[in-house]
Amino acid sequence: MQPDGLVYHPYKKCTASIQQLAYGGGADTVDEYVRLAETTARKCLHNFTAGIIGLFGDEYIRRPTPEDLERLLHIREERGFPGMIGSIDCMHWEWKNCMTAWKGMYSRGTGKPTIVLEAVVSYDLWIWHAFFGAPGTMNDLNILDRSPVFDDNINGNAPQVNFYVNGMEYHLGYYLTDDEKNSLFAKIQEAVRKDVERAFGVFQARFSVVKNPSKLWDKDKIENIMRACIILHNMIVEDERSSFTQYVVFEFQQGEDVDDTFSVNMPTNLGNTIDRRTSVRNRQAHQQLKNDLIENI
């Protein structure tokens, strides 16, 4: 047992927390290395993740700004997908200590209970969007229907993206998934969509806690761990980002006779909100964009 009133150095607490995130072991695995009891190490982890989210969440889990979008769209156009904002996919995190009453909701078939992370990733593996907490029984479409990924577009707060594909003009950016059947398009699409698969692989390699089954009981604490790991992952991406991913400002400066590429349309009434929701869900426009992308490639 620990003596009453014993105060540990913050470095020791942070070391214990990071070790649990990086290696995915239980709270009792740091006892010999940093001399912290299991209960203390677990509390340090929860306080550490809450502190990371509170201090850095607004900066490292944010929607792309117009400047970010301009850089992302430029790279995507060079890779053959103009107007593409990022790759979107889902990752399942096994919940070992899921409550018995919830197992039917979080288990698919005879599988183990899982919690789903939906993420949008850019070419440099930065995670721009993270929606975590959906039960493992839900498929990608169900999760997308609940996800806030299109909320800014529907509410009129997102920068408007204007681009041309195969001579057609479009005003909404898109996220790349894996549902295409055209052989040539699927081959090129797979190379670009691998960004999100690579991001999940790198993410789990850096933080084994999200690769191993979660042994926690509290779902909110599990979510804090996931969000903190995403923030730390984006910090590493920012620190290790190669020089070629940094765009030069003058390459994106437009001439006087060219309209601005981005603009923000604020919602004015309910009718506009409904119109924007309808445009986001427009199946004909979606199919037309797919056909134009195939022709463009």
Side-chain angles (χ1 to χ4, degrees), residues 100-172:
T100 303
W102 289 5
K103 283 189 176 181
M105 180 171 60
Y106 285 84
S107 303
R108 179 178 296 182
T110 59
K112 298 179 180 179
T114 60
I115 308 176
V116 183
L117 167 69
E118 179 194 68
V120 173
V121 178
S122 59
Y123 63 95
D124 57 359
L125 306 187
W126 183 289
I127 299 176
W128 291 103
H129 160 78
F131 174 61
F132 180 76
T137 52
M138 301 182 68
N139 58 35
D140 291 1
L141 293 178
N142 299 141
I143 295 172
L144 185 64
D145 189 56
R146 296 177 55 181
S147 170
V149 65
F150 295 116
D151 283 1
D152 283 350
N153 297 87
I154 294 173
N155 295 328
N157 298 325
Q160 183 176 350
V161 178
N162 303 312
F163 62 97
Y164 290 87
V165 180
N166 195 34
M168 294 287 294
E169 183 178 8
Y170 294 92
H171 303 285
L172 286 175

Side-chain angles (χ1 to χ4, degrees), residues 80-94:
F81 286 87
M84 174 185 167
I85 300 175
S87 306
I88 186 170
D89 204 354
C90 294
M91 181 186 80
H92 290 252
W93 186 9
E94 182 182 340

